[in-house]
Amino acid sequence: MFLLAAISLLLCCAAALGGSSYLSAPGWPALFVVGSLGVALGLFTVSVHDVRRYPGVLLISAVACLLPALQLIPLPPEIWHALPGRDLVTAVDAAAGLGAPWRPLSLVPVMTEHALMSLMVPLALVLLAVQLDDRHHERLLWMLLLLILGSALLAVAQNQVPALQGLLGYKRLDVDIATGLFSNRNHQALMMACGLPLLLAAVRQRSGLLRQIGHVAVPTIVMGGAFILLAMILVTGSRAGLLLYSVALAGLPLMWPHDGNSHARVISVSPLRMGLSIGSGVLMLALIVVIAVDNRTALAVIRLLESDPAGDLRPVIFEQTAEFVGRYWPAGTGIGTFIPIYALEEPVSLMQTAYINQAHNDWLDIALTGGAPGVAVLVGASLYMLWLAARHFFGTGGHARGQIFGRCASLIVLLCALASIVDFPLRTPLMMSILALALVWTAQPLTPPVRTHGHIHRKLRA
């Protein structure tokens, strides 16, 4: 229970202070402190048994933090000057008479330090979550649903009271858009899309109780929640959010384990009642869209219909960033250094008044800032996640609860991966925290844990 309380505190801090990726976000210092304390607690309480049950996810988490840490180690001048893309700094050193000082691999160490410290909260969540049993993981699932509900309710309040849009102190480009706990509409939309698999997983845990209330209780709750989440995405105006929602919706039928047991079926109702439920759901969806478009509040649909591809900067940013990757390959520029590197390398002919704060493609960003080591870590982690997802979807012999958690988490990881192709949601501590818990759930062993956490309490008493 103590560990669950610590995780709850970390999630609350990430929700209140970690909805922005801007370096100027006021919550970063507090998150650094809280995350570091959480990592210390996790390292103190984690056991060899926990490491044996979650070796892959712990290794990925450690390597993800080790990469920026290694980029901060000063290198001898002869090694540093041999790295690609360091000619300008070398010329400045010579002109200023600085000689040949030892420098870290990162071209902007202070930004790499920031990137490293931003990983403390998700790392702490991984270290603590691997120590929990199934009962506590189920409570974590409900906590995430409450966070999503809170972000949705805050967005509703922001629509009604525009002054609340500056409540969290974030720098906002879309000042007239309700984005809940985030500063970016696409990040809010991704969180709402992640709510779909979380909702179905939560209903699965309580399906027996819900069927006692009524045969249509399960489909009613799932459909009602799905339409609320869709309405919230429509309000944000996120085109990517609509596509992610479609992926999440299409993945829901694949989530439910079909192991031949009656209690593992998602809905046990007659075809007539099921048809009526689906029909009423479609009617409700159409009504929401019509009303929203008529009142000019379904910004996602409107932006999708009125979008001018020529005016979208993403293809231009992608092309330039891909060119920059070759200049600094294979060493990279240092995790978190995209902004100054882009400003340094951007052609004069393409300079404009728009502020480019991210690559809007985190896969490409890692290739630029992490170099070959970053790509190797990314490829290794992706292959490992694919193997874990295949185990949950196609493996046999696992318990139903672990299977539904694994499938839910796999879908969340997929949504985050797709969102990172056109945006940078995992630069925010809140979305990093959600992904961290999803990684732990994806890596859950197929057999349920049998031990208690008495060793933790003994350590704390000592």
Side-chain angles (χ1 to χ4, degrees):
M1 202 61 189
F2 174 80
L3 294 180
L4 190 63
I7 292 177
S8 302
L9 176 61
L10 286 169
L11 287 175
C12 289
C13 290
L17 306 171
S20 173
S21 64
Y22 285 104
L23 297 176
S24 59
W28 281 114
L31 282 173
F32 292 163
V33 174
V34 173
S36 299
L37 292 175
V39 170
L41 176 62
L43 292 174
F44 179 71
T45 56
V46 72
S47 69
V48 175
H49 181 79
D50 300 319
V51 176
R52 289 175 177 172
R53 294 183 69 234
Y54 293 91
V57 69
L58 288 171
L59 178 61
I60 291 173
S61 302
V63 173
C65 295
L66 183 63
L67 178 59
L70 292 176
Q71 292 178 333
L72 294 173
I73 298 177
L75 300 174
E78 56 272 16
I79 296 179
W80 194 90
H81 289 298
L83 299 176
R86 270 65 179 176
D87 298 340
L88 178 60
V89 179
T90 301
V92 170
D93 286 343
L98 298 178
W102 286 48
R103 294 182 182 276
L105 184 147
S106 173
L107 288 170
V108 191
V110 66
M111 302 194 77
T112 302
E113 291 173 4
H114 183 277
L116 174 60
M117 294 306 297
S118 69
L119 294 173
M120 292 300 102
V121 170
L123 176 61
L125 287 171
V126 169
L127 289 171
L128 296 173
V130 297
Q131 304 178 52
L132 301 181
D133 56 23
D134 278 0
R135 179 169 53 91
H136 289 147
H137 279 296
E138 184 178 339
R139 293 180 181 178
L140 273 182
L141 186 149
W142 285 101
M143 287 181 191
L144 290 186
L145 279 176
L146 286 176
L147 276 183
I148 294 174
L149 176 61
S151 191
L153 291 176
L154 179 57
V156 172
Q158 289 170 339
N159 265 329
Q160 302 301 316
V161 185
L164 293 178
Q165 293 178 0
L167 178 65
L168 300 176
Y170 296 145
K171 178 181 178 182
R172 299 168 57 90
L173 295 179
D174 302 313
V175 295
D176 57 336
I177 303 297
T179 55
L181 294 172
F182 295 93
S183 64
N184 184 297
R185 70 171 94 206
N186 293 322
H187 304 166
Q188 167 77 349
L190 171 61
M191 190 181 191
M192 296 299 109
C194 290
L196 270 178
L198 287 170
L199 176 63
L200 186 57
V203 169
R204 168 63 179 83
Q205 302 302 324
R206 293 289 181 264
S207 58
L209 177 62
L210 291 173
R211 279 197 292 268
Q212 293 178 9
I213 300 174
H215 291 293
V216 295
V218 172
T220 300
I221 292 175
V222 173
M223 291 181 182
F227 296 138
I228 292 174
L229 293 171
L230 174 61
M232 296 310 305
I233 292 176
L234 291 174
V235 170
T236 65
S238 172
R239 294 168 292 181
L242 278 179
L243 298 177
L244 293 173
Y245 181 89
S246 302
V247 173
L249 196 62
L252 289 187
L254 302 177
M255 279 184 53
W256 207 268
H258 293 281
D259 57 5
N261 299 327
S262 60
H263 63 79
R265 300 190 184 113
V266 61
I267 299 172
S268 56
V269 296
S270 66
L272 176 60
R273 288 183 177 179
M274 186 59 184
L276 290 175
S277 298
I278 294 177
S280 61
V282 172
L283 181 61
M284 185 183 300
L285 172 60
L287 184 61
I288 290 175
V289 173
V290 169
I291 293 176
V293 172
D294 183 63
N295 289 278
R296 302 290 293 180
T297 57
L299 297 180
V301 176
I302 294 171
R303 291 180 72 233
L304 190 62
L305 296 177
E306 299 179 354
S307 173
D308 179 12
D312 197 334
L313 291 175
R314 283 181 174 83
V316 177
I317 299 173
F318 180 90
E319 181 179 353
Q320 294 179 25
T321 305
E323 181 182 346
F324 302 159
V325 170
R327 298 181 189 178
Y328 294 94
W329 187 266
T333 63
I335 300 297
T337 61
F338 173 83
I339 296 176
I341 297 302
Y342 188 89
L344 175 67
E345 297 286 356
E346 183 180 15
V348 176
S349 59
L350 294 177
M351 289 185 178
Q352 53 191 312
T353 57
Y355 172 63
I356 308 301
N357 68 323
Q358 295 289 352
H360 290 274
N361 185 317
D362 266 352
W363 298 83
L364 190 60
D365 188 297
I366 291 177
L368 171 64
T369 61
V375 171
V377 173
L378 185 61
V379 171
S382 300
L383 293 176
Y384 181 64
M385 288 297 109
L386 286 174
W387 177 76
L388 290 177
R391 184 188 61 164
H392 286 294
F393 281 98
F394 305 110
T396 58
H399 63 301
R401 176 180 295 200
Q403 196 176 34
I404 192 65
F405 265 81
R407 294 183 179 187
C408 167
S410 299
L411 188 51
I412 291 176
V413 173
L414 174 62
L415 293 175
C416 291
L418 293 176
S420 297
I421 296 176
V422 295
D423 211 85
F424 47 96
L426 300 181
R427 303 284 168 170
T428 63
L430 181 50
M431 278 310 307
M432 280 194 289
S433 298
I434 294 175
L435 178 65
L437 294 179
L439 292 179
V440 173
W441 290 342
T442 306
Q444 276 192 333
L446 292 179
T447 56
V450 294
R451 70 183 184 93
T452 62
H453 284 82
H455 74 287
I456 294 173
H457 302 294
R458 288 195 296 271
K459 284 186 178 182
L460 295 175
R461 284 198 301 268

